Amino acid sequence: MNRKLNAVLAFLAMLILLGGAVLWGAYKGWSQERSRVESSMGSLQEMLGARREIGNNILTVARRHLPAQDPLLTALSADITQLAEEEGFGRLAAVNADFEKDAQALLSRLCALASVQADERDLMYAQAMLPQALEESARLTEQAEYNREAEDFNQNMDRRFSGRIAAWLGVEKAQQFITQEDAQ
């Protein structure tokens, strides 16, 4: 009887240790993978830096033709400042969307101004160069390495058993740089 009890206890100990190893491995592995995803955030920050630079170029042209208190100038300037601040991804994505809207509105307004129409250089900036740069930066921001890495991580975590265990143990999915409108 003592041998039987020892065998059962050894088997139970083995199952407990095996379960613990699976839990620990899932948590540690997925935590490290999430850290790797977060390390690719630099690509997104670079893209946001490029967008701020383009916004400042738009402001430079606009300040030559609009009063300093113009609401569109103020709004775009505030958007640029907020893009530089460290905030949560949801808020940062919303600010990026506001930046896009305000920049497009300011460029449209500039193209309609008689003073811009009379200035060949500023007209070229407002009609061609700055809108193209703005569009390209928006595309690159959406395609930033971080977004791809975060999406892959989240999908893999949902698909795999160990990912579900890690989620149950507290490993969170990676946030993606999207607005609420993009998510729907």
Side-chain angles (χ1 to χ4, degrees), residues 4-154:
K4 207 175 200 182
L5 181 62
N6 284 343
V8 168
L9 289 175
F11 182 74
L12 288 175
M14 179 194 69
L15 287 178
I16 290 171
L17 290 173
L18 185 63
V22 167
L23 294 174
W24 177 252
Y27 180 81
K28 186 168 178 149
W30 285 100
S31 293
Q32 288 174 345
E33 183 67 17
R34 188 168 194 275
S35 295
R36 187 188 62 75
V37 168
E38 288 175 352
S39 71
S40 70
M41 196 180 305
S43 70
L44 181 61
Q45 294 299 336
E46 287 175 25
M47 295 302 121
L48 292 175
R51 291 194 46 88
R52 289 191 308 268
E53 187 176 318
I54 291 164
N56 283 322
N57 291 339
I58 293 170
L59 288 175
T60 299
V61 173
R63 286 182 179 130
R64 290 195 286 256
H65 301 278
L66 294 171
Q69 356 15 353
D70 186 87
L72 281 174
L73 281 174
T74 306
L76 186 59
S77 183
D79 294 340
I80 292 167
T81 301
Q82 289 177 345
L83 279 176
E85 295 174 358
E86 293 293 324
E87 294 189 43
F89 265 20
R91 178 71 185 128
L92 195 56
V95 169
N96 186 53
D98 290 344
F99 168 84
E100 180 75 23
K101 178 185 60 119
D102 293 339
Q104 292 288 355
L106 187 54
L107 285 170
S108 294
R109 181 147 176 234
L110 285 173
C111 289
L113 290 174
S115 62
V116 173
Q117 294 286 330
D119 186 331
E120 191 175 308
R121 180 188 59 169
D122 284 350
L123 183 61
M124 179 189 61
Y125 284 139
Q127 284 184 338
M129 293 181 73
L130 292 172
Q132 182 181 8
L134 188 62
E135 183 180 317
E136 181 69 13
S137 71
R139 187 180 60 73
L140 290 174
T141 301
E142 291 168 4
Q143 297 174 350
E145 178 185 348
Y146 174 81
N147 279 338
R148 288 191 309 274
E149 295 279 339
E151 184 176 357
D152 288 346
F153 173 81
N154 293 341

